[in-house]
Amino acid sequence: MRSGNGFWSLLFHTLFVVFVMAPIVVVCIIAFTPEGYLSMPTNGASLRWFQALWNNAEFTGSFRTSLALGAASASIAALISVPAAIAIVRYDFPGRQAFLSLCMSPLMVPSIVLGVAFLRFFSQIGMSGTITGLTISHVILIVPYVLRTIMNSLGSLDRSLDHAAASLGSPGWTTFRRITLPLILPGILSGWMLAFITSFDEVTMTIFISSPETTTLPVRLMLYIEDSIDPLVAAVSTVLIVMALVVMLVLDRLFGLDRMLIGSGPSDRDR
């Protein structure tokens, strides 16, 4: 019975992985086609569409905009979320639950509603279509992701470490810098990654408040697909997939993905 369950479990997981990975593999293969339409490269592989992507100023400009916007938004969101998470997790103050609900409220509002609201607001104050307005809107959108991961990291810490440092005369800032911050750093990094990915992939809200000068890569792709569908889209997707794999490998080497995404449990701290 046990061997039968093992076989069916292995078969199920294999089919599941194939089902998830098959579209990604197909897109990456199509990116190497020499034809001018979406097709498998049956007549040999070609870098034609990667060269076309490199020479396309609109896509490269939008890619740089998305990178800068995602990095800036995620970094600002992390700077906001660290003190907010410490206040929510470690202190009991009037309005604590209301403050938490306010910070998490962007998750409950549809992106299209946020887009219309930001469009109206930024138009009134003269910031419509600016990179500053885009950054502010993305920070508001992604703060809940960073805040939640940092709160989880803080909640799993042993407060006796802080108490021991205080009993030895360590100031609060020194305790935070040398004890608390290194322990919650995996949570901050994982929250930053999640926030960056969310900002980088955001389309629905961004399309309302972007301009031709601040068009992000997902918006550029959507506008491009409206006019024509060719292997250039597959080339863009392949580049993004490879970049994501490289970043994941580097982070795994530097910090360990299991520590960043899951964190260390009590048994890990004991060791």
Side-chain angles (χ1 to χ4, degrees), residues 231-252:
L232 182 64
V233 178
V236 175
S237 302
T238 302
V239 171
L240 294 179
I241 291 170
V242 172
M243 289 183 59
L245 289 176
V246 171
V247 171
M248 297 293 280
L249 289 175
V250 171
L251 291 175
D252 185 47

Side-chain angles (χ1 to χ4, degrees), residues 251-269:
L251 291 175
D252 185 47
R253 288 290 184 179
L254 294 177
F255 303 102
L257 288 180
D258 53 347
R259 183 166 177 252
M260 291 183 59
L261 301 178
I262 302 175
S264 58
S267 58
D268 298 327
R269 291 193 297 269

Side-chain angles (χ1 to χ4, degrees), residues 13 15 23 41 71 82 89 118 122 145-146 176 180 187 191 207 235 240 245-246 254:
H13 285 88
L15 293 176
V82 170
V89 172
F118 281 129
F122 290 141
Y145 300 99
V146 191
F176 170 77
T180 305
I207 198 171
L240 294 179
L245 289 176
V246 171
L254 294 177

Side-chain angles (χ1 to χ4, degrees), residues 18-28:
V18 170
F19 178 78
V20 172
M21 294 298 297
I24 299 177
V25 174
V26 170
V27 168
C28 293

Side-chain angles (χ1 to χ4, degrees), residues 100-111 113-114 141 144:
L100 175 60
S101 299
L102 176 65
C103 292
M104 304 302 294
S105 60
L107 295 177
M108 298 178 287
V109 182
S111 296
V113 176
L114 287 174
L141 180 68

Side-chain angles (χ1 to χ4, degrees), residues 3-271:
S3 61
N5 290 336
F7 169 77
W8 291 111
S9 177
L10 179 61
L11 178 61
F12 171 78
H13 285 88
T14 301
L15 293 176
F16 179 79
V17 171
V18 170
F19 178 78
V20 172
M21 294 298 297
I24 299 177
V25 174
V26 170
V27 168
C28 293
I29 294 176
I30 291 177
F32 292 93
T33 182
E35 306 296 339
Y37 51 89
L38 297 177
S39 64
M40 303 295 284
T42 54
N43 297 325
S46 171
L47 297 178
R48 167 189 174 184
W49 294 105
F50 292 98
Q51 183 178 1
L53 174 61
W54 179 263
N55 295 329
N56 192 311
E58 291 183 344
F59 274 99
T60 54
S62 296
F63 178 72
R64 289 192 295 267
T65 299
S66 292
L67 280 181
L69 177 63
S73 302
S75 300
I76 296 173
L79 291 175
I80 295 173
S81 299
V82 170
I86 292 175
I88 293 172
V89 172
R90 295 193 167 179
Y91 298 97
D92 189 10
F93 54 90
R96 173 175 172 271
Q97 192 60 42
F99 177 65
L100 175 60
S101 299
L102 176 65
C103 292
M104 304 302 294
S105 60
L107 295 177
M108 298 178 287
V109 182
S111 296
I112 190 171
V113 176
L114 287 174
V116 173
F118 281 129
L119 174 61
R120 177 66 176 172
F121 175 71
F122 290 141
S123 298
Q124 291 290 329
I125 63 175
M127 291 178 60
S128 178
T130 63
I131 192 66
T132 302
L134 268 177
T135 303
I136 293 174
S137 59
H138 277 229
V139 168
I140 294 174
L141 180 68
I142 63 181
V143 157
Y145 300 99
V146 191
L147 180 63
R148 179 56 65 183
T149 56
I150 298 176
M151 287 177 59
N152 291 338
S153 296
L154 282 169
S156 64
L157 292 185
D158 188 355
R159 290 297 305 275
S160 62
L161 297 174
D162 293 344
H163 297 158
S167 67
L168 295 174
S170 175
W173 169 247
T174 303
T175 301
F176 170 77
R177 181 171 54 88
R178 303 190 64 176
I179 297 178
T180 305
L181 183 60
L183 292 175
I184 66 173
L185 185 59
I188 297 176
L189 291 176
S190 60
W192 191 95
M193 284 177 49
L194 184 59
F196 175 82
I197 293 172
T198 303
S199 174
F200 193 93
D201 288 341
E202 169 58 38
V203 177
T204 308
M205 180 187 72
T206 306
I207 198 171
F208 284 93
I209 52 181
S210 62
S211 65
E213 294 76 19
T214 58
T215 302
T216 60
L217 184 60
V219 175
R220 180 70 64 189
L221 275 173
M222 189 187 71
L223 296 176
Y224 185 82
I225 293 173
E226 288 181 352
D227 297 330
S228 61
I229 299 180
D230 54 40
L232 182 64
V233 178
V236 175
S237 302
T238 302
V239 171
L240 294 179
I241 291 170
V242 172
M243 289 183 59
L245 289 176
V246 171
V247 171
M248 297 293 280
L249 289 175
V250 171
L251 291 175
D252 185 47
R253 288 290 184 179
L254 294 177
F255 303 102
L257 288 180
D258 53 347
R259 183 166 177 252
M260 291 183 59
L261 301 178
I262 302 175
S264 58
S267 58
D268 298 327
R269 291 193 297 269
D270 293 340
R271 289 195 296 268

